[in-house]
mmCIF file of all heavy atoms in Angstrom:
data_model
loop_
_atom_site.group_PDB
_atom_site.id
_atom_site.type_symbol
_atom_site.label_atom_id
_atom_site.label_comp_id
_atom_site.label_asym_id
_atom_site.label_seq_id
_atom_site.Cartn_x
_atom_site.Cartn_y
_atom_site.Cartn_z
ATOM 1 N N PHE A 149 -2.565 11.356 -76.689
ATOM 2 C CA PHE A 149 -3.153 10.023 -76.740
ATOM 3 C C PHE A 149 -3.666 9.678 -78.137
ATOM 4 O O PHE A 149 -3.410 8.571 -78.630
ATOM 5 C CB PHE A 149 -4.254 9.901 -75.716
ATOM 6 C CG PHE A 149 -3.746 9.718 -74.295
ATOM 7 C CD1 PHE A 149 -2.388 9.796 -74.006
ATOM 8 C CD2 PHE A 149 -4.612 9.428 -73.256
ATOM 9 C CE1 PHE A 149 -1.923 9.630 -72.723
ATOM 10 C CE2 PHE A 149 -4.152 9.245 -71.961
ATOM 11 C CZ PHE A 149 -2.795 9.339 -71.688
ATOM 12 N N LEU A 167 -11.621 6.510 -78.326
ATOM 13 C CA LEU A 167 -10.677 6.722 -77.230
ATOM 14 C C LEU A 167 -10.976 8.018 -76.503
ATOM 15 O O LEU A 167 -11.048 8.071 -75.276
ATOM 16 C CB LEU A 167 -9.246 6.747 -77.805
ATOM 17 C CG LEU A 167 -8.127 7.136 -76.825
ATOM 18 C CD1 LEU A 167 -8.038 6.142 -75.670
ATOM 19 C CD2 LEU A 167 -6.801 7.262 -77.564
ATOM 20 N N ALA A 168 -11.160 9.087 -77.286
ATOM 21 C CA ALA A 168 -11.468 10.380 -76.665
ATOM 22 C C ALA A 168 -12.811 10.340 -75.944
ATOM 23 O O ALA A 168 -12.970 10.851 -74.842
ATOM 24 C CB ALA A 168 -11.466 11.468 -77.729
ATOM 25 N N ALA A 169 -13.792 9.685 -76.543
ATOM 26 C CA ALA A 169 -15.136 9.656 -75.987
ATOM 27 C C ALA A 169 -15.219 8.821 -74.716
ATOM 28 O O ALA A 169 -15.828 9.231 -73.719
ATOM 29 C CB ALA A 169 -16.129 9.121 -77.017
ATOM 30 N N ALA A 170 -14.609 7.647 -74.724
ATOM 31 C CA ALA A 170 -14.696 6.757 -73.575
ATOM 32 C C ALA A 170 -14.035 7.365 -72.355
ATOM 33 O O ALA A 170 -14.578 7.293 -71.235
ATOM 34 C CB ALA A 170 -14.057 5.405 -73.913
ATOM 35 N N GLY A 171 -12.860 7.966 -72.529
ATOM 36 C CA GLY A 171 -12.186 8.593 -71.414
ATOM 37 C C GLY A 171 -13.018 9.685 -70.784
ATOM 38 O O GLY A 171 -13.133 9.793 -69.558
ATOM 39 N N LEU A 172 -13.621 10.505 -71.611
ATOM 40 C CA LEU A 172 -14.449 11.605 -71.106
ATOM 41 C C LEU A 172 -15.723 11.104 -70.454
ATOM 42 O O LEU A 172 -16.124 11.570 -69.372
ATOM 43 C CB LEU A 172 -14.773 12.572 -72.245
ATOM 44 C CG LEU A 172 -13.620 13.425 -72.774
ATOM 45 C CD1 LEU A 172 -14.056 14.150 -74.030
ATOM 46 C CD2 LEU A 172 -13.159 14.413 -71.716
ATOM 47 N N ALA A 173 -16.403 10.150 -71.107
ATOM 48 C CA ALA A 173 -17.691 9.692 -70.616
ATOM 49 C C ALA A 173 -17.559 8.971 -69.275
ATOM 50 O O ALA A 173 -18.259 9.291 -68.301
ATOM 51 C CB ALA A 173 -18.347 8.784 -71.653
ATOM 52 N N VAL A 174 -16.670 7.977 -69.232
ATOM 53 C CA VAL A 174 -16.508 7.219 -67.999
ATOM 54 C C VAL A 174 -15.898 8.106 -66.917
ATOM 55 O O VAL A 174 -16.263 8.013 -65.745
ATOM 56 C CB VAL A 174 -15.683 5.958 -68.247
ATOM 57 C CG1 VAL A 174 -15.552 5.138 -66.969
ATOM 58 C CG2 VAL A 174 -16.292 5.110 -69.341
ATOM 59 N N GLY A 175 -14.933 8.940 -67.309
ATOM 60 C CA GLY A 175 -14.345 9.849 -66.345
ATOM 61 C C GLY A 175 -15.379 10.791 -65.746
ATOM 62 O O GLY A 175 -15.372 11.060 -64.544
ATOM 63 N N ALA A 176 -16.294 11.265 -66.569
ATOM 64 C CA ALA A 176 -17.372 12.148 -66.090
ATOM 65 C C ALA A 176 -18.291 11.388 -65.126
ATOM 66 O O ALA A 176 -18.699 11.910 -64.081
ATOM 67 C CB ALA A 176 -18.179 12.703 -67.246
ATOM 68 N N ALA A 177 -18.601 10.141 -65.455
ATOM 69 C CA ALA A 177 -19.466 9.333 -64.559
ATOM 70 C C ALA A 177 -18.794 9.097 -63.208
ATOM 71 O O ALA A 177 -19.444 9.209 -62.158
ATOM 72 C CB ALA A 177 -19.806 8.006 -65.227
ATOM 73 N N VAL A 178 -17.507 8.793 -63.239
ATOM 74 C CA VAL A 178 -16.763 8.578 -62.001
ATOM 75 C C VAL A 178 -16.719 9.852 -61.164
ATOM 76 O O VAL A 178 -16.758 9.818 -59.923
ATOM 77 C CB VAL A 178 -15.347 8.084 -62.299
ATOM 78 C CG1 VAL A 178 -14.488 8.074 -61.058
ATOM 79 C CG2 VAL A 178 -15.385 6.695 -62.942
ATOM 80 N N ALA A 179 -16.683 11.006 -61.833
ATOM 81 C CA ALA A 179 -16.524 12.278 -61.155
ATOM 82 C C ALA A 179 -17.821 12.831 -60.548
ATOM 83 O O ALA A 179 -17.765 13.816 -59.812
ATOM 84 C CB ALA A 179 -15.930 13.319 -62.122
ATOM 85 N N VAL A 180 -18.960 12.242 -60.868
ATOM 86 C CA VAL A 180 -20.238 12.779 -60.368
ATOM 87 C C VAL A 180 -20.245 12.976 -58.859
ATOM 88 O O VAL A 180 -20.625 14.042 -58.359
ATOM 89 C CB VAL A 180 -21.439 11.895 -60.824
ATOM 90 C CG1 VAL A 180 -22.702 12.273 -60.072
ATOM 91 C CG2 VAL A 180 -21.635 12.036 -62.322
ATOM 92 N N LEU A 182 -17.705 13.399 -56.976
ATOM 93 C CA LEU A 182 -16.563 14.175 -56.516
ATOM 94 C C LEU A 182 -16.907 15.618 -56.225
ATOM 95 O O LEU A 182 -16.251 16.244 -55.389
ATOM 96 C CB LEU A 182 -15.445 14.102 -57.569
ATOM 97 C CG LEU A 182 -14.793 12.734 -57.771
ATOM 98 C CD1 LEU A 182 -13.712 12.789 -58.839
ATOM 99 C CD2 LEU A 182 -14.216 12.198 -56.460
ATOM 100 N N GLY A 183 -17.910 16.189 -56.888
ATOM 101 C CA GLY A 183 -18.262 17.575 -56.655
ATOM 102 C C GLY A 183 -18.642 17.857 -55.209
ATOM 103 O O GLY A 183 -18.006 18.664 -54.529
ATOM 104 N N MET A 198 -5.109 15.192 -56.684
ATOM 105 C CA MET A 198 -5.470 15.003 -58.095
ATOM 106 C C MET A 198 -4.251 15.116 -59.004
ATOM 107 O O MET A 198 -4.133 14.392 -60.001
ATOM 108 C CB MET A 198 -6.566 15.992 -58.514
ATOM 109 C CG MET A 198 -7.900 15.801 -57.802
ATOM 110 S SD MET A 198 -8.606 14.127 -58.020
ATOM 111 C CE MET A 198 -8.249 13.414 -56.401
ATOM 112 N N THR A 201 -2.346 11.894 -58.669
ATOM 113 C CA THR A 201 -3.077 10.828 -59.369
ATOM 114 C C THR A 201 -2.842 10.900 -60.868
ATOM 115 O O THR A 201 -2.578 9.872 -61.529
ATOM 116 C CB THR A 201 -4.580 10.941 -59.078
ATOM 117 O OG1 THR A 201 -4.807 10.796 -57.668
ATOM 118 C CG2 THR A 201 -5.378 9.883 -59.831
ATOM 119 N N ARG A 202 -2.913 12.102 -61.418
ATOM 120 C CA ARG A 202 -2.678 12.267 -62.868
ATOM 121 C C ARG A 202 -1.248 11.950 -63.235
ATOM 122 O O ARG A 202 -0.979 11.349 -64.286
ATOM 123 C CB ARG A 202 -3.044 13.700 -63.290
ATOM 124 C CG ARG A 202 -4.543 13.966 -63.202
ATOM 125 C CD ARG A 202 -4.939 15.336 -63.730
ATOM 126 N NE ARG A 202 -4.467 16.426 -62.885
ATOM 127 C CZ ARG A 202 -4.754 17.705 -63.093
ATOM 128 N NH1 ARG A 202 -5.501 18.063 -64.131
ATOM 129 N NH2 ARG A 202 -4.311 18.646 -62.274
ATOM 130 N N PHE A 203 -0.304 12.318 -62.377
ATOM 131 C CA PHE A 203 1.103 11.987 -62.632
ATOM 132 C C PHE A 203 1.308 10.480 -62.756
ATOM 133 O O PHE A 203 1.923 9.999 -63.715
ATOM 134 C CB PHE A 203 1.986 12.544 -61.523
ATOM 135 C CG PHE A 203 3.380 11.989 -61.485
ATOM 136 C CD1 PHE A 203 4.313 12.352 -62.440
ATOM 137 C CD2 PHE A 203 3.720 11.049 -60.525
ATOM 138 C CE1 PHE A 203 5.597 11.809 -62.421
ATOM 139 C CE2 PHE A 203 4.997 10.502 -60.490
ATOM 140 C CZ PHE A 203 5.930 10.871 -61.453
ATOM 141 N N ALA A 205 -0.892 8.084 -63.309
ATOM 142 C CA ALA A 205 -1.631 7.468 -64.423
ATOM 143 C C ALA A 205 -0.938 7.768 -65.766
ATOM 144 O O ALA A 205 -0.734 6.841 -66.575
ATOM 145 C CB ALA A 205 -3.069 7.982 -64.450
ATOM 146 N N VAL A 206 -0.589 9.012 -65.998
ATOM 147 C CA VAL A 206 -0.001 9.380 -67.293
ATOM 148 C C VAL A 206 1.394 8.794 -67.460
ATOM 149 O O VAL A 206 1.758 8.345 -68.549
ATOM 150 C CB VAL A 206 0.023 10.927 -67.430
ATOM 151 C CG1 VAL A 206 0.749 11.325 -68.716
ATOM 152 C CG2 VAL A 206 -1.402 11.481 -67.456
ATOM 153 N N GLN A 222 -5.029 0.183 -72.242
ATOM 154 C CA GLN A 222 -4.365 1.016 -71.238
ATOM 155 C C GLN A 222 -4.632 2.494 -71.487
ATOM 156 O O GLN A 222 -4.870 3.270 -70.555
ATOM 157 C CB GLN A 222 -2.860 0.764 -71.227
ATOM 158 C CG GLN A 222 -2.138 1.606 -70.151
ATOM 159 C CD GLN A 222 -0.648 1.390 -70.128
ATOM 160 O OE1 GLN A 222 -0.118 0.513 -70.827
ATOM 161 N NE2 GLN A 222 0.041 2.176 -69.333
ATOM 162 N N LEU A 223 -4.575 2.899 -72.764
ATOM 163 C CA LEU A 223 -4.876 4.303 -73.059
ATOM 164 C C LEU A 223 -6.293 4.657 -72.610
ATOM 165 O O LEU A 223 -6.535 5.768 -72.115
ATOM 166 C CB LEU A 223 -4.733 4.569 -74.563
ATOM 167 C CG LEU A 223 -3.311 4.514 -75.140
ATOM 168 C CD1 LEU A 223 -3.341 4.800 -76.635
ATOM 169 C CD2 LEU A 223 -2.408 5.514 -74.432
ATOM 170 N N LEU A 224 -7.240 3.741 -72.757
ATOM 171 C CA LEU A 224 -8.598 3.993 -72.326
ATOM 172 C C LEU A 224 -8.666 4.176 -70.801
ATOM 173 O O LEU A 224 -9.316 5.096 -70.307
ATOM 174 C CB LEU A 224 -9.504 2.820 -72.733
ATOM 175 C CG LEU A 224 -9.945 2.742 -74.193
ATOM 176 C CD1 LEU A 224 -10.673 1.439 -74.458
ATOM 177 C CD2 LEU A 224 -10.822 3.925 -74.564
ATOM 178 N N VAL A 225 -7.993 3.288 -70.056
ATOM 179 C CA VAL A 225 -8.042 3.368 -68.589
ATOM 180 C C VAL A 225 -7.400 4.649 -68.115
ATOM 181 O O VAL A 225 -7.938 5.354 -67.228
ATOM 182 C CB VAL A 225 -7.322 2.142 -67.976
ATOM 183 C CG1 VAL A 225 -7.175 2.311 -66.475
ATOM 184 C CG2 VAL A 225 -8.100 0.869 -68.288
ATOM 185 N N VAL A 226 -6.262 5.002 -68.666
ATOM 186 C CA VAL A 226 -5.575 6.243 -68.245
ATOM 187 C C VAL A 226 -6.439 7.457 -68.580
ATOM 188 O O VAL A 226 -6.519 8.404 -67.792
ATOM 189 C CB VAL A 226 -4.196 6.347 -68.931
ATOM 190 C CG1 VAL A 226 -3.555 7.715 -68.649
ATOM 191 C CG2 VAL A 226 -3.280 5.222 -68.440
ATOM 192 N N SER A 227 -7.101 7.434 -69.731
ATOM 193 C CA SER A 227 -7.984 8.541 -70.096
ATOM 194 C C SER A 227 -9.107 8.724 -69.081
ATOM 195 O O SER A 227 -9.486 9.847 -68.754
ATOM 196 C CB SER A 227 -8.567 8.312 -71.494
ATOM 197 O OG SER A 227 -7.561 8.299 -72.479
ATOM 198 N N VAL A 228 -9.666 7.616 -68.599
ATOM 199 C CA VAL A 228 -10.729 7.678 -67.610
ATOM 200 C C VAL A 228 -10.226 8.294 -66.302
ATOM 201 O O VAL A 228 -10.857 9.185 -65.720
ATOM 202 C CB VAL A 228 -11.295 6.279 -67.347
ATOM 203 C CG1 VAL A 228 -12.231 6.279 -66.125
ATOM 204 C CG2 VAL A 228 -12.064 5.779 -68.577
ATOM 205 N N ILE A 229 -9.079 7.821 -65.831
ATOM 206 C CA ILE A 229 -8.518 8.327 -64.572
ATOM 207 C C ILE A 229 -8.212 9.810 -64.672
ATOM 208 O O ILE A 229 -8.576 10.602 -63.787
ATOM 209 C CB ILE A 229 -7.236 7.538 -64.192
ATOM 210 C CG1 ILE A 229 -7.604 6.073 -63.898
ATOM 211 C CG2 ILE A 229 -6.548 8.173 -62.992
ATOM 212 C CD1 ILE A 229 -6.398 5.181 -63.691
ATOM 213 N N VAL A 230 -7.566 10.199 -65.762
ATOM 214 C CA VAL A 230 -7.211 11.617 -65.951
ATOM 215 C C VAL A 230 -8.464 12.471 -66.079
ATOM 216 O O VAL A 230 -8.561 13.577 -65.539
ATOM 217 C CB VAL A 230 -6.296 11.780 -67.174
ATOM 218 C CG1 VAL A 230 -6.086 13.254 -67.506
ATOM 219 C CG2 VAL A 230 -4.947 11.113 -66.909
ATOM 220 N N GLY A 231 -9.492 11.972 -66.794
ATOM 221 C CA GLY A 231 -10.722 12.716 -66.966
ATOM 222 C C GLY A 231 -11.415 12.995 -65.651
ATOM 223 O O GLY A 231 -11.861 14.115 -65.386
ATOM 224 N N ALA A 232 -11.515 11.975 -64.770
ATOM 225 C CA ALA A 232 -12.128 12.181 -63.465
ATOM 226 C C ALA A 232 -11.310 13.107 -62.592
ATOM 227 O O ALA A 232 -11.855 14.001 -61.916
ATOM 228 C CB ALA A 232 -12.334 10.830 -62.761
ATOM 229 N N ALA A 233 -9.987 12.938 -62.608
ATOM 230 C CA ALA A 233 -9.123 13.797 -61.769
ATOM 231 C C ALA A 233 -9.152 15.231 -62.258
ATOM 232 O O ALA A 233 -9.093 16.166 -61.452
ATOM 233 C CB ALA A 233 -7.694 13.247 -61.795
ATOM 234 N N ASP A 234 -9.248 15.438 -63.569
ATOM 235 C CA ASP A 234 -9.351 16.799 -64.113
ATOM 236 C C ASP A 234 -10.567 17.531 -63.571
ATOM 237 O O ASP A 234 -10.493 18.721 -63.196
ATOM 238 C CB ASP A 234 -9.430 16.758 -65.645
ATOM 239 C CG ASP A 234 -8.082 16.506 -66.319
ATOM 240 O OD1 ASP A 234 -7.064 16.649 -65.631
ATOM 241 O OD2 ASP A 234 -8.084 16.192 -67.508
ATOM 242 N N ILE A 235 -11.709 16.838 -63.533
ATOM 243 C CA ILE A 235 -12.943 17.460 -63.064
ATOM 244 C C ILE A 235 -12.827 17.858 -61.598
ATOM 245 O O ILE A 235 -13.192 18.967 -61.187
ATOM 246 C CB ILE A 235 -14.130 16.524 -63.291
ATOM 247 C CG1 ILE A 235 -14.413 16.388 -64.790
ATOM 248 C CG2 ILE A 235 -15.380 17.023 -62.565
ATOM 249 C CD1 ILE A 235 -15.462 15.360 -65.143
ATOM 250 N N ALA A 236 -12.322 16.937 -60.778
ATOM 251 C CA ALA A 236 -12.164 17.240 -59.354
ATOM 252 C C ALA A 236 -11.173 18.391 -59.140
ATOM 253 O O ALA A 236 -11.394 19.265 -58.285
ATOM 254 C CB ALA A 236 -11.684 16.003 -58.593
ATOM 255 N N PHE A 237 -10.106 18.413 -59.916
ATOM 256 C CA PHE A 237 -9.112 19.475 -59.768
ATOM 257 C C PHE A 237 -9.695 20.831 -60.146
ATOM 258 O O PHE A 237 -9.498 21.821 -59.441
ATOM 259 C CB PHE A 237 -7.885 19.170 -60.661
ATOM 260 C CG PHE A 237 -6.761 20.166 -60.492
ATOM 261 C CD1 PHE A 237 -5.768 19.932 -59.577
ATOM 262 C CD2 PHE A 237 -6.717 21.325 -61.253
ATOM 263 C CE1 PHE A 237 -4.726 20.850 -59.403
ATOM 264 C CE2 PHE A 237 -5.703 22.244 -61.079
ATOM 265 C CZ PHE A 237 -4.693 22.004 -60.155
ATOM 266 N N ARG A 238 -10.445 20.899 -61.262
ATOM 267 C CA ARG A 238 -11.010 22.173 -61.678
ATOM 268 C C ARG A 238 -12.031 22.674 -60.676
ATOM 269 O O ARG A 238 -12.119 23.883 -60.401
ATOM 270 C CB ARG A 238 -11.657 22.021 -63.061
ATOM 271 C CG ARG A 238 -10.660 21.954 -64.191
ATOM 272 C CD ARG A 238 -11.341 22.212 -65.536
ATOM 273 N NE ARG A 238 -12.312 21.175 -65.863
ATOM 274 C CZ ARG A 238 -12.025 20.095 -66.552
ATOM 275 N NH1 ARG A 238 -10.783 19.861 -66.961
ATOM 276 N NH2 ARG A 238 -12.978 19.202 -66.845
ATOM 277 N N ALA A 239 -12.821 21.769 -60.106
ATOM 278 C CA ALA A 239 -13.802 22.186 -59.082
ATOM 279 C C ALA A 239 -13.100 22.771 -57.881
ATOM 280 O O ALA A 239 -13.505 23.811 -57.349
ATOM 281 C CB ALA A 239 -14.675 20.997 -58.678
ATOM 282 N N ASN A 292 4.293 15.690 -69.852
ATOM 283 C CA ASN A 292 3.022 16.060 -69.262
ATOM 284 C C ASN A 292 2.879 15.508 -67.837
ATOM 285 O O ASN A 292 2.394 16.172 -66.913
ATOM 286 C CB ASN A 292 1.873 15.592 -70.141
ATOM 287 C CG ASN A 292 0.532 16.108 -69.699
ATOM 288 O OD1 ASN A 292 0.416 17.153 -69.081
ATOM 289 N ND2 ASN A 292 -0.512 15.377 -70.033
ATOM 290 N N TYR A 296 2.514 17.611 -63.903
ATOM 291 C CA TYR A 296 1.569 17.446 -62.793
ATOM 292 C C TYR A 296 2.300 17.386 -61.453
ATOM 293 O O TYR A 296 1.805 17.887 -60.442
ATOM 294 C CB TYR A 296 0.734 16.179 -62.991
ATOM 295 C CG TYR A 296 -0.237 16.255 -64.143
ATOM 296 C CD1 TYR A 296 -0.328 15.222 -65.085
ATOM 297 C CD2 TYR A 296 -1.105 17.342 -64.284
ATOM 298 C CE1 TYR A 296 -1.226 15.284 -66.129
ATOM 299 C CE2 TYR A 296 -2.014 17.400 -65.338
ATOM 300 C CZ TYR A 296 -2.059 16.354 -66.263
ATOM 301 O OH TYR A 296 -2.954 16.423 -67.300
ATOM 302 N N LEU A 468 -19.136 23.904 -60.373
ATOM 303 C CA LEU A 468 -18.105 23.696 -61.368
ATOM 304 C C LEU A 468 -17.944 22.218 -61.739
ATOM 305 O O LEU A 468 -17.693 21.892 -62.893
ATOM 306 C CB LEU A 468 -16.745 24.244 -60.843
ATOM 307 C CG LEU A 468 -16.678 25.743 -60.590
ATOM 308 C CD1 LEU A 468 -15.272 26.135 -60.167
ATOM 309 C CD2 LEU A 468 -17.095 26.539 -61.834
ATOM 310 N N SER A 469 -18.121 21.355 -60.756
ATOM 311 C CA SER A 469 -18.062 19.924 -61.049
ATOM 312 C C SER A 469 -19.201 19.494 -61.970
ATOM 313 O O SER A 469 -18.979 18.789 -62.962
ATOM 314 C CB SER A 469 -18.122 19.127 -59.749
ATOM 315 O OG SER A 469 -18.118 17.733 -60.017
ATOM 316 N N TRP A 471 -20.826 21.349 -64.028
ATOM 317 C CA TRP A 471 -20.563 21.965 -65.342
ATOM 318 C C TRP A 471 -19.566 21.111 -66.119
ATOM 319 O O TRP A 471 -19.764 20.797 -67.292
ATOM 320 C CB TRP A 471 -20.019 23.377 -65.135
ATOM 321 C CG TRP A 471 -20.303 24.319 -66.262
ATOM 322 C CD1 TRP A 471 -19.872 24.240 -67.540
ATOM 323 C CD2 TRP A 471 -21.090 25.526 -66.192
ATOM 324 N NE1 TRP A 471 -20.304 25.320 -68.276
ATOM 325 C CE2 TRP A 471 -21.076 26.128 -67.474
ATOM 326 C CE3 TRP A 471 -21.780 26.172 -65.171
ATOM 327 C CZ2 TRP A 471 -21.707 27.317 -67.769
ATOM 328 C CZ3 TRP A 471 -22.424 27.359 -65.467
ATOM 329 C CH2 TRP A 471 -22.398 27.919 -66.734
ATOM 330 N N SER A 472 -18.466 20.725 -65.448
ATOM 331 C CA SER A 472 -17.425 19.936 -66.119
ATOM 332 C C SER A 472 -17.936 18.549 -66.476
ATOM 333 O O SER A 472 -17.599 18.033 -67.555
ATOM 334 C CB SER A 472 -16.199 19.829 -65.221
ATOM 335 O OG SER A 472 -15.594 21.084 -65.019
ATOM 336 N N VAL A 473 -18.692 17.921 -65.575
ATOM 337 C CA VAL A 473 -19.214 16.577 -65.870
ATOM 338 C C VAL A 473 -20.091 16.634 -67.108
ATOM 339 O O VAL A 473 -19.989 15.793 -68.019
ATOM 340 C CB VAL A 473 -19.994 16.033 -64.658
ATOM 341 C CG1 VAL A 473 -20.826 14.813 -65.065
ATOM 342 C CG2 VAL A 473 -19.034 15.657 -63.542
ATOM 343 N N THR A 474 -20.978 17.617 -67.155
ATOM 344 C CA THR A 474 -21.875 17.741 -68.320
ATOM 345 C C THR A 474 -21.094 18.029 -69.583
ATOM 346 O O THR A 474 -21.370 17.450 -70.643
ATOM 347 C CB THR A 474 -22.907 18.862 -68.086
ATOM 348 O OG1 THR A 474 -23.582 18.628 -66.863
ATOM 349 C CG2 THR A 474 -23.908 18.917 -69.221
ATOM 350 N N SER A 475 -20.119 18.916 -69.478
ATOM 351 C CA SER A 475 -19.312 19.266 -70.642
ATOM 352 C C SER A 475 -18.554 18.050 -71.158
ATOM 353 O O SER A 475 -18.546 17.756 -72.363
ATOM 354 C CB SER A 475 -18.330 20.387 -70.284
ATOM 355 O OG SER A 475 -17.540 20.734 -71.398
ATOM 356 N N ASN A 476 -17.919 17.303 -70.249
ATOM 357 C CA ASN A 476 -17.152 16.138 -70.665
ATOM 358 C C ASN A 476 -18.054 15.042 -71.238
ATOM 359 O O ASN A 476 -17.715 14.398 -72.226
ATOM 360 C CB ASN A 476 -16.364 15.588 -69.472
ATOM 361 C CG ASN A 476 -15.128 16.418 -69.185
ATOM 362 O OD1 ASN A 476 -14.972 17.512 -69.698
ATOM 363 N ND2 ASN A 476 -14.268 15.905 -68.323
ATOM 364 N N ALA A 477 -19.220 14.840 -70.595
ATOM 365 C CA ALA A 477 -20.144 13.841 -71.106
ATOM 366 C C ALA A 477 -20.669 14.207 -72.490
ATOM 367 O O ALA A 477 -20.792 13.351 -73.379
ATOM 368 C CB ALA A 477 -21.302 13.648 -70.133
ATOM 369 N N ILE A 479 -19.079 16.171 -74.700
ATOM 370 C CA ILE A 479 -17.945 15.986 -75.616
ATOM 371 C C ILE A 479 -17.796 14.517 -75.976
ATOM 372 O O ILE A 479 -17.569 14.153 -77.144
ATOM 373 C CB ILE A 479 -16.653 16.543 -74.990
ATOM 374 C CG1 ILE A 479 -16.711 18.063 -74.894
ATOM 375 C CG2 ILE A 479 -15.431 16.124 -75.835
ATOM 376 C CD1 ILE A 479 -15.555 18.681 -74.100
ATOM 377 N N ALA A 480 -17.916 13.656 -74.953
ATOM 378 C CA ALA A 480 -17.764 12.219 -75.203
ATOM 379 C C ALA A 480 -18.833 11.712 -76.158
ATOM 380 O O ALA A 480 -18.536 10.984 -77.116
ATOM 381 C CB ALA A 480 -17.849 11.458 -73.876
#
Side-chain angles (χ1 to χ4, degrees):
F149 283 7
L167 172 63
L172 289 171
V174 182
V178 171
V180 168
L182 292 180
M198 295 302 104
T201 299
R202 292 185 291 185
F203 165 74
V206 175
Q222 181 180 354
L223 291 181
L224 284 173
V225 172
V226 173
S227 296
V228 169
I229 295 172
V230 172
D234 282 345
I235 291 173
F237 185 92
R238 285 196 296 269
N292 188 26
Y296 291 131
L468 296 184
S469 177
W471 208 297
S472 295
V473 166
T474 306
S475 181
N476 284 12
I479 291 171

